[in-house]
Amino acid sequence: MPNSISFDYDVAIIGAGPSGAACALGLRQSGLRVALLDKAQFPRDKVCGDAIPGHALKALRQLDPAFAESLWQLQPLDAVRQSRLVAPNGGSLDLQWKLPSFNCPRETFDDALLALVRAHAPGTTILENTGLKSLRIEADHVRLQPAQGPEITCQLVIGCDGANSAVGRKLLPEPRLARAHHCVGVRAYFENIKGAESGTTEFFLTRDYLAGYCWLFPVGQGRYNVGLGMLAEVVAEHKVDLKEQLQRLLTTHPALAGRFAEARQLGPTVGFGLPLGGGRERPISGERFMLCGDAASLIDPLQGHGIDTAIQSGMLAAVQAAACFASQDFSAAHMASYDTQVANKIGKKLAKSYRLMRFLSTKPWLVNAAVGLAKLPGLKPWVQKAIG
């Protein structure tokens, strides 16, 4: 729809990634007029590991089982049956996951989610190429000024606009970068990797940098997402060049050396940031606004995934939005129930993951021992539960 036309909405969702799309789908039967804004034109790439956790698909089934089933038809796609964890000493452990999951390039996956909004949420107006320049909370509404086009007014704004959320920056005190709660990573696509298996995601831990890992994820059609993520405080302390370190690991790590001898890299190695959940306390709502997904720092600190928590938080924001309109209460006090719901249903697990990540980050011997012990009868389920 042309951006030259002025629109007034009940709800404006900023960011059309997984959390924004899930929020719009959660509001599809609410009768509310919803605007879904994104600075990009879809399909667009989103730099990450491309793993779609089973809990993300489980959450979408709660909205409509057909939503999750339609995503299994995407191409390229690789159905994940197991993960292989390689310890610092080279020992490996294969873990089978109960919930079906898959890997798929975010360019494809996010575009498919937005297509579900187009098809099933007729009350939502999608505004692509619409970046947010400014916003202001007033007594009875919110004023949004896009980077281009006329002002937009609404009663409630939901920030689903990622790690560098414009909504969060403008409505919350600017937080100091807490490197202990932030991860940075790099990712590249490859093909023709020796020994890579469809259906198996691989995680490689090293003795030097346990607060992070190298990954190799099949994404379908013979392509692999290969990357390295690490706690920001480790990167800063040791002055790690992640792109250089990734290339070094691919040629020297005992479980990777030789596997990339005939591999071909597809495109450049690119970087991204991940705000981890489960650590410091920070509000994710206030008068007439909420934050979801990466904007609310909901990345799992142990495994590094965030699509599931993004979708879950978007759905919780939709429930809270409907409650606000039912009671006509958009106060910070009323909105705080959203924070409570996120803390109870998402935050507790992330806090556990954060504590475990910090505990293991200086103990390579313990990781080696856990992988070894998991091969003993009866102990593998315990290890899988601890890390999953």
Side-chain angles (χ1 to χ4, degrees):
M1 200 167 288
N3 290 342
S4 59
I5 301 175
S6 180
F7 297 97
D8 288 323
Y9 301 95
D10 298 311
V11 179
I13 303 171
I14 313 301
S19 61
C23 188
L25 289 170
L27 290 169
R28 72 193 185 283
Q29 297 173 341
S30 67
L32 298 173
R33 297 166 301 154
V34 178
L36 179 58
L37 288 66
D38 200 284
K39 63 183 179 181
Q41 177 77 39
F42 283 63
R44 57 92 179 99
D45 189 23
K46 170 66 168 66
V47 184
C48 81
D50 295 339
I52 314 301
H55 284 287
L57 301 171
K58 181 179 179 179
L60 286 171
R61 288 190 193 96
Q62 294 173 10
L63 290 173
D64 188 327
F67 293 167
E69 292 308 313
S70 69
L71 296 174
W72 280 96
Q73 309 308 311
L74 294 177
Q75 291 297 325
L77 176 148
D78 191 275
V80 177
R81 298 180 297 275
Q82 67 175 4
S83 293
R84 179 167 299 131
L85 177 65
V86 181
N89 66 357
S92 66
L93 174 66
D94 288 347
L95 302 170
Q96 285 71 41
W97 302 109
K98 293 181 179 180
L99 288 178
S101 63
F102 61 79
N103 300 332
C104 177
R106 287 290 298 275
E107 182 176 3
T108 301
F109 181 77
D110 289 10
D111 190 49
L113 282 181
L114 191 58
L116 288 174
V117 177
R118 289 192 177 98
H120 299 282
T124 297
T125 300
I126 299 171
L127 301 172
E128 297 172 88
N129 294 318
T130 307
L132 183 64
K133 181 179 180 181
S134 65
L135 77 162
R136 186 169 69 253
I137 305 291
E138 300 196 352
D140 58 354
H141 65 282
V142 182
R143 291 185 178 273
L144 308 173
Q145 180 57 60
Q148 295 180 336
E151 182 181 75
I152 294 172
T153 60
C154 62
Q155 293 191 65
L156 177 65
V157 63
I158 303 176
C160 301
D161 48 344
N164 298 310
S165 170
V167 177
R169 291 199 312 270
K170 296 176 189 304
L171 297 181
L172 290 173
E174 186 67 26
R176 182 181 178 184
L177 178 62
R179 291 192 175 97
H181 301 279
H182 198 87
C183 182
V184 288
V186 293
R187 174 222 73 184
Y189 289 110
F190 287 83
E191 64 181 7
N192 200 33
I193 301 173
K194 184 178 180 181
E197 302 175 24
S198 175
T200 299
T201 58
E202 299 180 73
F203 300 84
F204 305 89
L205 299 171
T206 70
R207 177 178 294 275
D208 294 334
Y209 304 115
L210 273 179
Y213 57 82
C214 178
W215 67 81
L216 194 162
F217 294 169
V219 295
Q221 299 178 351
R223 296 171 61 197
Y224 296 85
N225 182 316
V226 180
L228 173 66
M230 199 175 297
L231 201 62
E233 70 173 7
V234 174
V235 172
E237 180 182 354
H238 298 279
K239 296 181 173 55
V240 181
D241 182 324
L242 286 175
K243 291 183 180 180
E244 181 181 285
Q245 179 70 10
L246 175 61
Q247 291 301 320
R248 189 184 72 81
L249 285 172
L250 298 185
T251 56
T252 63
H253 191 288
L256 288 167
R259 295 180 62 182
F260 284 77
E262 299 179 5
R264 184 166 74 95
Q265 184 168 337
L266 309 172
T269 302
V270 290
F272 58 105
L274 297 171
L276 303 179
R280 56 200 176 126
E281 294 292 330
R282 182 173 179 243
I284 55 173
S285 72
E287 183 181 2
R288 295 189 179 275
F289 80 91
M290 289 177 277
L291 301 177
C292 302
D294 289 8
S297 299
L298 296 179
I299 300 290
D300 186 284
L302 192 62
Q303 298 187 40
H305 58 74
I307 296 175
D308 50 347
T309 53
I311 290 174
Q312 291 162 2
S313 62
M315 291 166 56
L316 291 173
V319 172
Q320 178 64 33
C324 289
F325 282 93
S327 64
Q328 284 299 296
D329 186 350
F330 302 91
S331 66
H334 187 238
M335 210 68 72
S337 61
Y338 168 71
D339 294 55
T340 301
Q341 287 293 309
V342 171
N344 289 338
K345 297 185 177 181
I346 301 174
K348 289 181 178 179
K349 184 178 185 300
L350 297 184
K352 175 186 173 183
S353 292
Y354 185 81
R355 290 192 299 269
L356 184 57
M357 181 271 290
R358 297 298 307 202
F359 178 71
L360 294 175
S361 64
T362 58
K363 301 174 180 63
W365 60 269
L366 185 57
V367 178
N368 293 334
V371 168
L373 287 171
K375 296 181 179 181
L376 298 177
L379 291 182
K380 185 174 180 179
W382 180 86
V383 173
Q384 182 156 339
K385 181 179 179 181
I387 65 175

